[in-house]
Amino acid sequence: MLIKQSKHQTHWCKAPWLHTLLIFIIPLLLVALIHPQIAQYELESKLQQDLALLEQSMLKQTISAATPEGKANLSLLSWSCNEADIALLRSTEFSPKMVRLVQMELANGLKCSNLPSPYNYLAKKTKKIPLTEIKISTSNDQNPFFRDFIFEFPVGEHSLIAITNSTVFNSFLTELCPNCYQVDIQYHGLPLVSRGKQTVSNTKNSRTVSRYIPALDLTQTLNSGDAMYQLFYDKIWLNLVCLSLVLSSLGAISYWHWQQRRISLESMLVNGLKNSEFIPFYQPIIDTRSNQIVGQEMLVRWRRSDGNLVLPNQFIPYAEDSGLIIPITESTLAQVKRDMPKLLGWVSINIVAEHLEKGLLSQWLDKHESCDTQRLCFELTERKPMENFEQATIEIERLASQCQGFKLDDFGTGFGGFSYLQKLGFNSIKIDKMFIDTIGTDDLKAGVLKSIIAFGHESKMEMIAEGVETQVQADYLSERGVYLHQGYLYSQPVGLDELQHFYDLHLNKERAHNTLNKAGFALTRRFPLKKIKFPKPPNLL
Ligand code: C2E
Ligand code: CA
Ligand code: CA
């Protein structure tokens, strides 16, 4: 009946393909959603980057004649427009690719250039570039795309005129992005000069970035249009789709794999239940004041059909998630009940919130109650949060006369420990091994242990220290009033036969040492316990 109930709880696992499909589709949907924003962001950064490159290029072109190298070149000219001068004007020093015309204008009105005939122009407006002698004006063309810059470099009473080659500028833009850009160059006080593709700024997806260049006193504006947007849209879309396909596939495969593993582990647990493979082990709890065994914790082991013992950490989390922990607990409880006549003191059973919320323990005790079951007590962890405190409290009250009581397990490891104690009225805490391990170390959690012990004394809680492995830890705890100990110092969790062997050793020892020394069970050194070697558990996960 209980197995059926747990199956009902895990019905969602029956549609892992649906979850796998969702895990596959969600990244793709997300990509579709965020793609325009990413394309936009990438586009803006590319524009800013290219605008910076243009700025560098403008500065280089314009101020080159004012550099020491440029000045050295000017001194090569004889300023007489003779053949040597003309040859120099035609050389790559004076006529690099970016210069269409370079013309010498002498004080006496004589002009000569790198072209067969001199160029006559009439500058309407002229402007001086800050911190240089260079003057700049534009040609008189109506269309800003045909308008040229004319640079004038005064050299004494003569001057050198240069007109830049717009095709070089255009091919620079094409190198940055073919058919993507239009650039507006606005020297303040001069007519606008534009370069690049004329129709760009009128398109649907046009973008514009501008920058003022103080060294030239000009504002440069870079416009991009649909071609650029499409280029980025397609490129980013392709990258994102590839990336999300990889992530989707990895996510879906991992999830599918996990589900299959989980389902197979669950079916193994169900089979284990059918074959009664879950068996109780017991770990004694010692009162160091009297050196008596006061009780034991039942810790389940899964004895597989091949004889291997599987430790709880390898299956309890799955059993708790799937709800199979309920029939597993029921199965081990039945065995504990059979063992009870042979057990000393109380027996503590690990339970989950669902046991209390659904009143499962009182149902079990109503059916199996005996004088032995009065010695049962229950340990609750905060691993799975309690959802129905009201029902749990009713169950705890109902059980008050049927068992030894309740303990809060792994106290201090969760966040709600104190509220659990308050709401459920528990009066016993188990201090987790994590804190016991800090004894004698400078671990920060050592402070937490002190606070837990102080809290336990103040609120008159019974305290059980778990995972006591050394005599130093045992002494530390006893000196601070924590007398109930559980740990390998005394015994590992063992099967019933081994436990009885432990009892025998202990009782013999008691007889032999009527007066026990402070170390108490540390006398296991004189009466060494046969340590049980666990076979290596099969790797289920
Ligand atoms: P827990 O309730 O905190 O149990 C104590 C764990 O610490 C046990 O591990 C025990 O073997 C181990 N231990 C005790 N003393 C020492 C020590 O001195 N040194 C070291 N290294 N370990 C020590 P175990 O048996 O592997 O159980 C692990 C956990 O599985 C338990 O932690 C408990 O939360 C859970 N568990 C075990 N049996 C059941 C069960 O029947 N039902 C449920 N719901 N959970 C169970
Ligand atoms: Ca426990
Ligand atoms: Ca613990």
Side-chain angles (χ1 to χ4, degrees), residues 297 381 383 409-411 413 430-434 466-467:
E297 178 176 5
T381 58
R383 260 199 307 262
D409 209 356
D410 300 337
F411 184 72
T413 57
K430 294 198 75 174
I431 307 173
D432 195 70
K433 177 173 183 300
M434 175 201 291
E466 192 186 80

Side-chain angles (χ1 to χ4, degrees), residues 283 297-301 311-313 316 320 325 328-329 332 349-352 355 379 381 383 409-410 430 432-433 466-469 486-489 491-493:
Q283 189 174 28
E297 178 176 5
M298 189 280 283
L299 293 154
V300 68
R301 298 292 183 261
L311 291 176
N313 289 340
I316 288 287
E320 286 184 350
I325 190 65
I328 290 176
T329 309
T332 44
I349 309 290
N350 287 284
I351 55 164
V352 292
H355 278 114
E379 294 183 12
T381 58
R383 260 199 307 262
D409 209 356
D410 300 337
K430 294 198 75 174
D432 195 70
K433 177 173 183 300
E466 192 186 80
V468 181
E469 286 185 341
Q486 172 183 355
Y488 290 179
L489 176 64
S491 167
Q492 289 195 359

Side-chain angles (χ1 to χ4, degrees), residues 309-514:
L309 267 192
V310 185
L311 291 176
N313 289 340
Q314 282 195 273
F315 65 90
I316 288 287
Y318 289 89
E320 286 184 350
D321 281 353
S322 61
L324 283 168
I325 190 65
I326 305 297
I328 290 176
T329 309
E330 187 175 292
S331 162
T332 44
L333 260 176
Q335 298 174 70
V336 171
K337 193 191 162 196
R338 277 199 299 274
D339 293 346
M340 291 279 316
K342 295 177 183 166
L343 300 175
L344 286 176
W346 41 262
V347 182
S348 204
I349 309 290
N350 287 284
I351 55 164
V352 292
E354 200 183 336
H355 278 114
L356 298 177
E357 289 167 334
K358 293 195 174 155
L360 299 174
L361 298 176
S362 54
Q363 278 173 32
W364 187 86
L365 278 170
D366 287 346
K367 272 195 231 154
H368 300 91
E369 194 163 19
S370 71
C371 55
D372 280 332
T373 56
Q374 290 278 341
R375 289 189 287 131
L376 286 176
C377 54
F378 301 97
E379 294 183 12
L380 177 74
T381 58
E382 299 168 69
R383 260 199 307 262
K384 284 260 139 77
M386 176 80 68
E387 278 157 15
N388 193 337
F389 276 98
E390 211 176 308
Q391 282 304 317
T393 317
I394 293 172
E395 172 75 347
I396 288 165
E397 279 165 10
R398 200 182 298 151
L399 288 167
S401 60
Q402 288 178 294
C403 70
Q404 286 263 324
F406 292 87
K407 306 181 192 311
L408 189 60
D409 209 356
D410 300 337
F411 184 72
T413 57
F415 290 106
F418 294 100
S419 80
Y420 267 55
L421 289 177
Q422 228 172 21
K423 286 184 189 157
L424 300 173
F426 289 3
N427 58 1
S428 174
I429 52 175
K430 294 198 75 174
I431 307 173
D432 195 70
K433 177 173 183 300
M434 175 201 291
F435 302 110
I436 307 304
D437 284 344
T438 64
I439 296 172
T441 69
D442 52 7
D443 190 315
L444 282 177
K445 289 192 290 298
V448 182
L449 175 64
K450 278 187 193 150
S451 314
I452 292 175
I453 295 176
F455 163 79
H457 285 308
E458 243 172 70
S459 48
K460 305 207 171 10
M461 287 276 159
E462 176 191 68
M463 286 181 272
I464 302 174
E466 192 186 80
V468 181
E469 286 185 341
T470 65
Q471 191 57 47
V472 173
Q473 291 170 343
D475 291 344
Y476 177 99
L477 290 161
S478 298
E479 277 159 21
R480 282 158 186 79
V482 181
Y483 303 112
L484 300 183
H485 294 185
Q486 172 183 355
Y488 290 179
L489 176 64
Y490 310 99
S491 167
Q492 289 195 359
V494 289
L496 184 64
D497 291 348
E498 284 294 334
L499 183 73
Q500 288 195 300
H501 183 56
F502 178 83
Y503 285 168
D504 289 346
L505 280 177
H506 171 57
L507 295 175
N508 288 338
K509 184 184 73 183
E510 287 277 276
R511 267 181 231 121
H513 298 267
N514 277 337

Side-chain angles (χ1 to χ4, degrees), residues 85-105:
D85 279 349
I86 292 171
L88 267 173
L89 291 181
R90 286 179 182 164
S91 70
T92 47
E93 276 79 26
F94 285 89
S95 299
K97 251 199 323 193
M98 73 197 51
V99 173
R100 179 153 64 83
L101 173 118
V102 58
Q103 180 162 285
M104 191 186 277
E105 296 193 351

Side-chain angles (χ1 to χ4, degrees), residues 212 216 220 257 310 318 393 400 410 425 495 532:
Y212 174 67
L216 300 177
Q220 193 163 249
H257 195 67
V310 185
Y318 289 89
T393 317
D410 300 337
I532 294 194

